[in-house]
Amino acid sequence: MKSIAVFCGSSEGASPVYKECAIQLGKELAARNLTLIYGGATVGLMGAVADSVMQAGGQVIGVLPHFLKQREIEHTRLTELIMVDSMHERKLKMSELADGFIALPGGPGTMEEYFEIFTWAQLGLHQKPCGLLNVNHYYDPLISLFGNMAREQFMQEKHHAIMLNDTTPEGILRQMADYTPPPVKQYLTEDRT
């Protein structure tokens, strides 16, 4: 892996532990020479992880839609800032640039980004690891829900295993480095020529 996309909140959350973990994740990414791919803003956990990577001498690529330039306050000190036209383009560009994905705590936007990239892995559109950084037990309900999806047979167990999770940046990055994607069923199409 050479780069990790991080999905996270544009706010810092209710507890200082969330920002502390974002900063620690940034330091770990830089120490491992992993380029951060993220949403391109200066605010919230987004800004904290980006600033931490850069302060530790690492590389950061932001991807920001034009319409969010003022709302999320574009980060002007990144290694590179890529401007796109839509949220869909943002996710696509981030997925193209990243070798793996981590979700720090965040709101509906973070969840939407994580679920889409997870679904792409489930469908075999990519074979990159997808991790949840479960700071302060934030993702316990989601981890439980994924388990229930598998138990109730709305998700195959092999796909349940796509969801990596850990409580520390070191732990999640270790799991991602060791990740083996599940086999994907190949669908045959008839030759219609």
Side-chain angles (χ1 to χ4, degrees), residues 39-147:
T42 60
V43 294
L45 298 186
M46 295 171 74
V49 69
D51 288 341
S52 177
V53 171
M54 291 185 299
Q55 287 168 3
Q59 304 290 306
V60 179
I61 299 173
V63 183
L64 185 69
H66 293 286
F67 80 94
L68 286 179
K69 188 172 182 177
Q70 295 305 317
R71 186 181 304 171
E72 289 190 353
I73 310 171
E74 106 185 78
H75 206 308
T76 57
R77 299 184 319 273
L78 304 177
T79 308
E80 182 180 359
L81 179 64
I82 300 169
M83 300 300 297
V84 295
D85 291 326
S86 69
M87 296 295 282
H88 295 294
E89 285 184 53
R90 181 194 228 180
K91 285 181 293 188
L92 182 59
K93 179 54 76 175
M94 290 175 73
S95 72
E96 290 170 353
L97 295 171
D99 297 320
F101 307 90
I102 294 175
L104 279 165
T110 301
M111 295 295 89
E112 188 270 336
E113 290 169 325
Y114 179 79
F115 275 114
E116 184 156 1
I117 214 70
F118 180 93
T119 302
W120 292 355
Q122 190 177 7
L123 295 171
L125 299 177
H126 71 78
Q127 296 188 320
K128 303 170 185 179
C130 301
L132 295 174
L133 193 40
N134 191 19
V135 185
N136 201 28
H137 303 282
Y138 184 79
Y139 282 120
D140 284 357
L142 181 58
I143 293 166
S144 177
L145 177 60
F146 269 65

Side-chain angles (χ1 to χ4, degrees), residues 172-192:
I172 198 65
L173 288 169
R174 190 176 321 110
Q175 285 186 47
M176 293 173 79
D178 294 338
Y179 177 70
T180 301
V184 176
K185 182 177 181 178
Q186 298 297 318
Y187 297 95
L188 300 175
T189 57
E190 293 179 14
D191 184 0
R192 297 172 190 239

